[in-house]
Amino acid sequence: MRAAEIAAGVRAGTLRAADLTEQHLARIAEREGEIHAFNHVMADEARAQAARIDAAAAAGNDPGPLAGVTVALKDNMCTRGVPTTCSSRILEGWKPPYNATVVDTLHAAGAVVVGKTNLDEFAMGSSTENSAFGPTRNPLDTSRVPGGSSGGSAAAVAAGFSQFSLGSDTGGSIRQPAALCGVVGVKPTYGYVSRYGLVAFASSLDQIGPFTSSVEDAALVLDVIGGHDPHDSTSIPQQHPSLVDSLQQGVEGLRIGRITDLPEGADPDVNERLEAAFEALAAAGATIVDVEVPAFTFGLTAYYLIAPAEASSNLARYDGVRYGMRVEAADTNAMYGATREKGFGDEVKRRIMLGTYALSAGYYDAYYGKALKVRRLIHDDFERAYTKADVLLTPTSPSVAFEFGSKGDNPLAMYLCDTYTIPTNLAGHPGMSVPYGTGAHGLPVGVQVLAGTLQEPTMFRVAAALERSVS
Ligand code: GLN
């Protein structure tokens, strides 16, 4: 069922939030042992919220546009009184004293939170293998990764554990796992959704967005969670037009850009699906145009200076004093060191070292400063491309879901998973992954739709057309 149908039924009293919640909890009980999508299932809280919603509907009050719709939250979003771990040992035992804005917004809209999902530690990774609590498995093939870093959120939707989920995307962490799990994943324009209460990884890149099983559900969720939040100084101070309203508009007359100098590296099965997507949009009345985005290819390099630099600063706050675990030692400095040594995993330490180096005196201009200049070039190249095309189409991930351990000892191979997603984050633009059939091993392939700042309505028109053409 679509989220809008569920909410309409619950609002009208023909469906009960309690029943829908039990169905999802039963599904979790059935398969969670095998999948490990969650760090924390919130069965009691979910039942209590469902009861509140049914009572509101029965009393003639409107429980909201997501009434009775279940949601799973990436475990880097603060939930009051409920553990928020970022899948890191260093936050063990920490319970936030407040909710992220998105959590309050979802509650107010009548959504039912069923749990907190697994991720690569502090959202650093592309397979969820970097979680301190063990990996999540891809529900479509449990010998393979679900992608990352929001792997638990992608898997939760693919496995039917919740109607939708939220993830965060700093360099691809919503779109890539969405592609690997065969669901829709959206990274909105930077500032579209409040990041208040999202544990920071790289603050100039982080964005929250939804995973759903349909384009329409994604539009509805973004219509609910998008908009200005005075608690987040980077949130855009304006109301966004309804994305649900854009879905039926079709693509006739739209210009769909093919990036002629896109970095190579996508597998043939992925490229085949991309070609099929171009053909389907042309058949639906769009025009395919060639564009160049020369700096696209430098995205990965710039990102692995900028994101670690920001992370090294953001993660300095985990010192054994303010949050979570502490390892006692002879003096304060030794305590900081021992806590961070034990609390952080290898990938997080690697990023902190990279970032600290890139920011250090003498290297700042050569590394961090230069990366910022490249970032500007990427942004400007995209802006030029968007004068010729309304949206751009690329693969989301270079390959379908890969096997556990296949990139584990090679950080660079893992980083290359984000070749096609990262430039968008650096530009601040929106992007989304739409499932577009299957490739190797019968596994899903995602096509990425990219658009300019606040061009979500156009991006969703194209995504809806792609979805119509494939189902
Ligand atoms: N995989 C990328 C990284 O490891 C992106 C992660 C993200 O978007 N949070 O940094």
Side-chain angles (χ1 to χ4, degrees):
M1 233 190 311
R2 297 175 297 118
E5 288 176 78
I6 293 172
V10 171
R11 283 166 131 168
T14 55
L15 291 173
R16 290 181 58 234
D19 297 337
L20 296 155
T21 301
E22 288 308 329
Q23 280 164 20
H24 283 114
L25 291 175
R27 184 86 180 131
I28 293 170
E30 211 175 290
R31 268 202 100 186
E32 169 61 3
E34 178 195 11
I35 306 294
H36 187 215
F38 290 100
N39 287 340
H40 189 72
V41 176
M42 294 164 61
D44 293 345
E45 293 91 336
R47 289 189 173 110
Q49 165 78 344
R52 270 195 299 275
I53 288 157
D54 288 330
N61 299 321
D62 183 3
L66 291 175
V69 180
T70 50
V71 53
L73 301 170
K74 188 176 185 179
D75 200 15
N76 61 353
M77 296 175 201
C78 288
T79 39
R80 184 171 43 238
V82 175
T84 299
T85 67
C86 293
S87 289
S88 180
R89 298 236 172 265
I90 211 154
L91 280 171
E92 238 167 36
W94 182 62
K95 291 182 184 169
Y98 67 102
N99 278 335
T101 294
V102 286
V103 176
D104 281 338
T105 307
L106 289 175
H107 273 149
V112 176
V113 178
V114 295
K116 306 290 297 286
T117 62
N118 196 16
L119 62 148
D120 285 298
E121 185 175 3
F122 283 104
M124 297 172 188
S126 303
S127 66
T128 320
E129 290 169 292
N130 293 337
S131 167
F133 309 130
T136 296
R137 295 181 175 277
N138 190 318
L140 305 174
D141 176 347
T142 53
S143 71
R144 292 172 190 267
V145 304
S149 66
S150 316
S153 288
V157 173
F161 293 163
S162 60
Q163 179 75 17
F164 76 100
S165 62
L166 293 188
S168 62
D169 190 312
T170 304
S173 279
I174 293 173
R175 291 161 286 160
Q176 185 258 10
L180 270 46
C181 290
V183 298
V184 175
V186 190
K187 183 208 92 77
T189 299
Y190 182 75
Y192 196 98
V193 176
S194 168
R195 296 182 300 124
Y196 180 72
L198 170 71
V199 177
F201 163 9
S203 310
S204 77
L205 301 161
D206 302 338
Q207 251 305 283
I208 289 176
F211 290 91
T212 58
S213 48
S214 70
V215 172
E216 185 195 306
D217 277 15
L220 177 62
V221 171
L222 274 175
D223 282 350
V224 170
I225 64 173
H228 183 236
D229 175 13
H231 287 126
D232 174 1
S233 61
T234 63
S235 97
I236 299 169
Q238 72 183 51
Q239 238 195 314
H240 306 306
S242 160
L243 298 174
V244 170
D245 287 350
S246 70
L247 298 176
Q248 298 307 325
Q249 287 173 21
V251 292
E252 208 155 335
L254 285 185
R255 299 162 304 167
I256 314 289
R258 176 200 298 277
I259 304 178
T260 52
D261 49 0
L262 196 67
E264 283 174 16
D267 288 347
D269 56 322
V270 171
N271 280 327
E272 264 172 44
R273 296 312 301 156
L274 179 65
E275 286 315 310
F278 277 117
E279 282 168 25
L281 292 174
T287 312
I288 312 302
V289 297
D290 285 349
V291 299
E292 287 180 354
V293 188
F296 195 111
T297 189
F298 304 116
L300 200 69
T301 321
Y303 173 89
Y304 276 99
L305 291 165
I306 293 169
E310 294 186 21
S312 71
S313 167
N314 276 325
L315 271 57
R317 61 171 66 103
Y318 306 108
D319 55 6
V321 177
R322 287 169 284 191
Y323 307 91
M325 70 174 276
R326 169 186 297 186
V327 178
E328 298 295 350
D331 59 44
T332 311
N333 256 331
M335 185 277 287
Y336 293 157
T339 300
R340 289 167 68 83
E341 165 59 27
K342 182 149 182 254
F344 289 137
D346 287 347
E347 185 60 29
V348 175
K349 286 177 186 160
R350 183 179 292 124
R351 304 284 178 110
I352 292 172
M353 286 189 278
L354 266 172
T356 309
Y357 183 74
L359 290 174
S360 57
Y363 295 103
Y364 184 99
D365 286 342
Y367 293 113
Y368 183 70
K370 196 150 190 188
L372 289 183
K373 289 178 187 159
V374 171
R375 179 178 195 170
R376 165 56 64 175
L377 292 178
I378 291 171
H379 173 270
D380 292 352
D381 278 357
F382 269 120
E383 291 288 319
R384 255 190 300 278
Y386 288 126
T387 63
K388 299 191 188 123
D390 299 297
V391 302
L392 308 175
L393 235 55
T394 75
T396 305
S397 155
S399 74
V400 297
F402 46 93
E403 285 176 340
F404 286 99
S406 60
K407 300 182 201 280
D409 53 359
N410 183 351
L412 192 57
M414 193 68 85
Y415 297 172
L416 284 166
C417 294
D418 302 313
T419 303
Y420 301 120
T421 49
I422 276 175
T424 318
N425 298 77
L426 291 167
H429 293 152
M432 69 192 283
S433 183
V434 183
Y436 208 68
T438 52
H441 314 287
L443 290 165
V445 171
V447 163
Q448 183 176 227
V449 187
L450 302 176
T453 303
L454 292 177
Q455 297 306 303
E456 274 84 354
T458 313
M459 180 173 83
F460 267 85
R461 278 170 68 185
V462 173
L466 283 175
E467 186 180 60
R468 279 194 293 271
S469 75
V470 79
S471 49

